Amino acid sequence: MTEQSAVFVVDDDHSVRASLESLLSSEGHDVHVFGSAEAFIAAERPDLPGCMVLDVRLRRESGLEVQRELGRRGIDLPVVFITGHGDVPMSVAAMKAGAIEFLLKPFRDQDLLDAVNKGIAIDQSRRERAARMAELRDRFAALTPREREIMPLVAGGLLNKQIAGHLQLSEVTVKVHRAQIMQKLRARSLPDLVRMADRLADDIAKA
Amino acid sequence: MTTSTRTLGGLAPATGRASAPVPGPASGAAAGTAPRGGALAALFHATATQAGVAVVVVLALLAALVGTAPFARQPTQGTEILVPAYAAASFVLETLTAALLFAMFHVQRSRALLRLAAGYLFAALMVPAWALTFPGVLSGLGVDAGLQTTAAIAAVRRLGFPLFVLGYALAPVCSDTSPRSLVPILRTVLAVAGLAAVCLWLIVEGRPVLPGFMADDRDVTRLWYRVPAVAILLYGLAAAILVWRRRFALDMWVCLVLVSLTVELALMSWLGGATRLGVGWWAGRLYGLAAASIVLLVLLSETTTVHLRLARAVAAERRARQDRLTAMEALSATIAHEINQPLASMVTNADAGLRWLGKAEPRIDMVDAALRRIVADGHRANKVVVGIRTMFMTGAQEREPLDLGALLRETVRDKASEARAAGIAIDLDLDPALPPVIGNALQLRQVVANLIENAIDAMTATAGRERRLRIAARGAERGEAEVSVADTGGGVPPELAERIFEPFVSTKPEGMGMGLMFCRAVVEAHGGRLWVAPARPRGAVFAFSIPTALVPTNAPEVSR
């Protein structure tokens, strides 16, 4: 992960911060440390797969609150919580909010490194998914309005004849559109197209 | 008084009096305070409402006395039948009053209450015998106790009650501190019951030699008039003592009872000619009954209030204990956190160092840095432990007169090199006439050291300013000395000014948020205060006050 990932440490204790920086960079991580959540939010972050190591109890705010705030700001980084004295409700709340791991200080170094690696892997695949989705969206944007109309019908399993009847077009026209759609979206087969249609529908629904 | 030859054997509390026709010394004292509710309230530590009620009742009694006086000598016919009803009411009222007083005693543990309750119980226990022996009341059952029995019982009751009241009036003010128990109440009840039984037995057995109070069934002899006279003298004596001692609000109601008894006796014995079952005889008893009812109601509400207050006190105590527990929990959580933080850091630093060391090409520089951080963390953890030890060690409560100036000079000397390294100039401004203070040298030195360290940290965190630490001490008024530590650092944000003394609150990037909490705890344990104010033109002033040794009265124990 040396060149391809970043770890963000947010802890208000400078000694803990320095120790984490040293430990993580000894494993080749690109480590960025912050004394507060504001500093982290304000900072310029490298556009790399990453993971966050967050102290539950920051000077003026709770790490759980920071986690929510990041969510609101669309910063979608996996979070590894570390805490001096965790209790069960706190860890449950953190895990529910999507934390990777909840580590009690002092923790075993391997536990932290594993959690961070897991977080980076999760972020990596999330980013890949997002990139694929973005590309698909671009391809979809290249479709003409008529093609966008026809695509869901094709994906829905209708025959060309049925689509032609539905849209009052000639079957040949539908065939041409269909070929265009497959080509523009780079779908290799009908099932491939169906999957793309599903993902696009999910994406639109999410937006 | 001596004019009328006829007499009556009044019910215990109700009979005549010897001298003046109107309330004797007792009522005189009480009535004298009556017109002014405010003065009365102040006199007996009662509320204005209570005093108002008392004044109204006394005035009503006097009005009733005046209103009834012209008809007092008229006889009534066939009212013997009402005697048992009156006796029952009287018995119930007095028993209830006694029970309430016992209940109050149970809460307040005042011997005075016990004596008063005994008086009421005694009076109540004499009533049934009086009614049973009353001529004509139970004649249908063939009871004939003899001519003098009823009057003798009445005399014992009339004179016994004020004796108990005297005992009440003379009782010490302080409460019994013995644990709450029913034993004294039971003992009192048994003793009073025994006393009543002995009195009745003596009267019944001694019938032939009883004094001749009665001339016939309805009229008294001259001898009888000594009874109300002595009774009223006793009432007056008791009331005078109560007014003189000014103890508590209950005394006012007891005085009211004494006034009503005096009115009762006046109506029955003199205005009513001491004739049994006459208008005056009945009116006096009824007025007495009404006054007793009012006093009972007052006692009832008093008792309820007392119990309410008790319940509230118990709840408050429970809350306070809860608060203390919560504070302890917060403190132990703080301590756990403050020690765990450097420990965690040490473990991670050591792990990191090992990893740097284990590399194909060991990074000695990184190992070096990790080890240095471990050393710093170790010192930091130790500081926490020292702080806790100073706060809780044995002897932490020991106080002695201290030379505050010497203490400050030593502490400043200890911190001088640290300050010099940070480029900080120190001004020490000590009042030459600084009085010695009372305190624990180790703890106070820790407080001053803490404040100085904070000031150094605050100034180190700011760049490009003059760094000046100013420590001043002077004797303040009110037997206190004041020490202030002013820096030219970034100051304390106003919103943190009060919270900064709470655990975990700090303006330092690596602050423990515990030092100031500790400082405040120590200073307050010394009977002083610790506060923060902004310094001019910038920075913060932390100052604390501490009692000086010039007020030696119980100064060593000022700790809260």
Side-chain angles (χ1 to χ4, degrees), chain B residues 447-490:
Chain B
V447 168
V448 176
N450 224 319
L451 294 180
I452 292 177
E453 282 165 23
N454 281 349
I456 292 175
D457 288 344
M459 288 186 281
T460 316
T462 55
R465 286 181 183 174
E466 187 202 16
R467 291 177 175 179
R468 183 164 290 276
L469 175 61
R470 194 183 139 81
I471 298 157
R474 59 190 176 84
E477 324 78 68
R478 303 186 317 274
E480 284 184 335
E482 196 179 301
V483 177
S484 62
V485 177
D487 63 54
T488 56

Side-chain angles (χ1 to χ4, degrees), chain B residues 22 45 50 67 181 235 272 286 307 315 326 344 394 453-454 476 540-541:
Chain B
V22 207
H45 314 290
Q50 289 173 331
S181 99
Y235 295 162
L286 293 181
H307 278 102
T326 315
T394 49
E453 282 165 23
N454 281 349
V541 189

Side-chain angles (χ1 to χ4, degrees), chain A residues 11-16 18-20 22-23 25-27 55 57 59 84-85 105-107 109-110 113, chain B residues 337 340-341 343-345 347-349 351-352 355-356 359 366 373 377 380 496 504 506 508-511:
Chain A
D11 194 312
D12 54 7
D13 189 308
H14 87 126
S15 174
V16 170
S19 68
L20 286 171
S22 181
L23 176 68
S25 52
S26 78
E27 286 300 293
D55 190 356
R57 193 181 216 170
R59 181 77 58 214
H85 41 114
K105 292 181 195 174
F107 38 77
D109 55 348
Q110 199 55 53
L113 292 168
Chain B
H337 185 260
N340 201 39
Q341 202 74 344
L343 274 183
S345 175
V347 170
T348 306
N349 274 315
D351 281 335
R355 279 175 190 272
W356 287 115
K359 284 188 174 299
M366 296 306 268
R373 285 194 300 269
D377 285 333
R380 184 176 150 202
L496 275 184
F504 296 127
S506 174
K508 290 190 266 180
E510 71 229 53

